[in-house]
Amino acid sequence: MNVHGKPTRTIWPHPSDPGIIQIIDQRALPHEWVVEDLASVADVATAIRDMHVRGAGLIGATVGFGMYLAAREVSDDVTGFLTRAGDLLKSTRPTAVNLAWAVDRQLRAIAEHPGDPVATALRTAIEIADEDADACRRIGEHGLALIEKIAASKNGAPVEILTHCNAGWLAFVDFGSATAPIYAAHDRGIPVHVWVDETRPRSQGAKLTAWELGQHGVPHTLIADNTGGHLMQHGMVDLVIVGTDRTTRTGDVANKIGTYLKALAAHDNGVPFYVALPSSSFDWKMRDGLKEIPIEERGSEEVKFADGLCDGRRCEVLVAPASTPAANFGFDVTPARLVTGLISERGVCGATESEILALYPEQA
Ligand code: MRU
């Protein structure tokens, strides 16, 4: 994606120091552009847990590079050290399956090429990042066909798309999942307009999705989280596209808290509800999302405080009474029956086990 007019990824090895991986510290956006150096597996664990980086695909890519930094720290007992490093990384955020997927992929690659774990881990980390970017580019191509079809019936009026949280470029290595079809349509001159859910408590929509759509020149409007149902009742949404942190082989979708309510509203109003995901976000072992997907609970201060710019400086303000107890469930599960379709790098399919496996027969 273009940032300040220049093609940019969300994670990259330092150009001259092989001991450093660079990320964008997303906590500072949209007000400041901060590039952070990660020099150890401990730095990577902190960056993921405290959400300097976030979003399923980017967490997976960051873990890939984290295992490379871990491999540089090994002195003896390579397998034991890297397994412990992987366990540390897996413990940082429980819902996004990309995290465990990337750790296990690194451990397998290093076990298969034990001669030079550092070189193997770097090569694998770069592969994970490149594959993530390529998968998102292809999601864009497949999702574009859906937008083109709607555009054909709109007599030149913009296709109205609602999205939740940030499943954009910032949640992946490039392009994003939910945003990739939107960027593809915009780049081809199809008029689109995006309703951006604010996404409390961390406001990934307000801070990140609004910023990145703006950087790319895509028309958009920020809305408070509870607005989507009203817009759908009044015919102001043609299509919902969201991302996912983990989707079962039966099509149940875990995504940022509030996604389920959007899916219910879409169902009630006959609005198509699509989920965009690379195959690294499928959990091939799980069948029942409600029972099996672990839902992350974060600190209550994220709900009680809001943050932004005060007199030109970043600051936090207490919104609720200081003593009020607050609960902070990070994700919810949208049952497959409410999902119109899944957009993956292999194409668009229904959210059923048979249709998913028709695209991914190797998982049968
Ligand atoms: O808590 P986050 O910001 O890491 O959560 C990310 C999301 O839930 C997004 O909604 C996204 O759709 C999934 S990541 C592509």
Side-chain angles (χ1 to χ4, degrees), residues 265-288:
H267 187 71
D268 194 41
N269 290 284
V271 174
F273 182 94
Y274 281 91
V275 177
L277 75 167
S279 51
S280 53
S281 297
F282 278 111
D283 188 327
W284 299 109
K285 296 198 190 91
M286 287 190 180
R287 311 186 64 83
D288 185 333

Side-chain angles (χ1 to χ4, degrees), residues 192-196 205-206 209-215 217-222:
V192 289
H193 168 263
V194 184
W195 296 106
V196 178
T209 306
W211 178 79
E212 65 170 87
L213 290 173
Q215 288 290 319
V218 178
H220 61 280
T221 304
L222 179 64

